[in-house]
Amino acid sequence: MELYEAIMGRRSIRKYTDKPIEDGILEQILDAARWAPNGGNNNAWRFVVVTSPIQKKLILNFCPGIFDVPAAIIVICAEPKQKLIKEATRLLYMADCAIAAENIVLAAYSLGIGSCMVASFADVALQDLIGIPESIKAYIIVTLGYPAEDPEPPPRLPIRDIVYKNEYGKEWTSDG
Ligand SMILES: Cc1cc2nc3c(=O)[nH]c(=O)nc-3n(C[C@H](O)[C@H](O)[C@H](O)COP(=O)(O)O)c2cc1C
């Protein structure tokens, strides 16, 4: 599948079939995550992949942003390795985790797997449940599973409303 096709065709999937995802496919998806661009190439992310039915059920108690039981839940967290200013570190690793999440959803889509990024979760309770140490922060979750829905694309603002040329507020004009 062409990358552009994946970018345009991927949708957030919130209903999944019961079919599990083979570990080989999960590993391909995680490989895409670890090849994401990341600040300073620190490789600071850590990925907790939860497939245990009991564990998934417990996690759902702390994740109002998950609406169905997925085949797998990937909790993306970051383990800072270098002493940056605290706020800068937080923002850098948040970006790293978000970019890894994007690679995950696109790779999943290209392999026929549905996904949804989830930021609506009780981080302290979730971290406690799956043993993420206090020094590490869970930034974002990605749910994965075979899709049980085929949602329409939600609207996006047109380019002319969000893109400016050379200066903020200056209308984008296309030379063709
Ligand atoms: C940072 C982030 C957090 C999100 N959190 C949630 C969430 O908690 N629950 C959910 O169902 N969808 C969540 N989404 C998915 C968005 O709602 C979805 O991407 C948006 O509606 C556009 O739909 P699309 O992904 O199908 O293009 C999140 C997406 C992002 C990027």
Side-chain angles (χ1 to χ4, degrees), residues 38-39 42-47 76-83 89-90 92-94 96-97 127 132-139:
N38 63 103
N42 276 320
N43 292 217
W45 1 245
R46 298 292 180 268
F47 304 89
I76 309 178
C77 44
E79 179 178 12
K81 274 186 190 163
Q82 60 180 27
K83 286 181 185 151
T89 311
R90 195 180 70 76
L92 188 66
Y93 291 128
M94 188 190 293
D96 285 352
C97 290
Q127 293 204 190
I132 298 175
E134 264 179 47
S135 58
I136 294 171
K137 179 165 171 45
Y139 285 103

Side-chain angles (χ1 to χ4, degrees), residues 45-117:
W45 1 245
R46 298 292 180 268
F47 304 89
V48 184
V49 184
V50 180
T51 55
S52 142
I54 296 169
Q55 200 73 331
K56 284 188 294 188
K57 220 173 172 185
L58 290 171
I59 287 179
L60 255 63
N61 290 329
F62 303 122
C63 299
I66 301 180
F67 300 97
D68 191 14
V69 183
I73 296 172
I74 304 182
V75 181
I76 309 178
C77 44
E79 179 178 12
K81 274 186 190 163
Q82 60 180 27
K83 286 181 185 151
L84 295 177
I85 307 161
K86 213 176 166 199
E87 179 65 2
T89 311
R90 195 180 70 76
L91 293 175
L92 188 66
Y93 291 128
M94 188 190 293
D96 285 352
C97 290
I99 293 163
E102 179 67 0
N103 270 22
I104 286 175
V105 298
L106 290 176
Y109 181 74
S110 77
L111 295 166
I113 309 288
S115 67
C116 189
M117 290 193 201

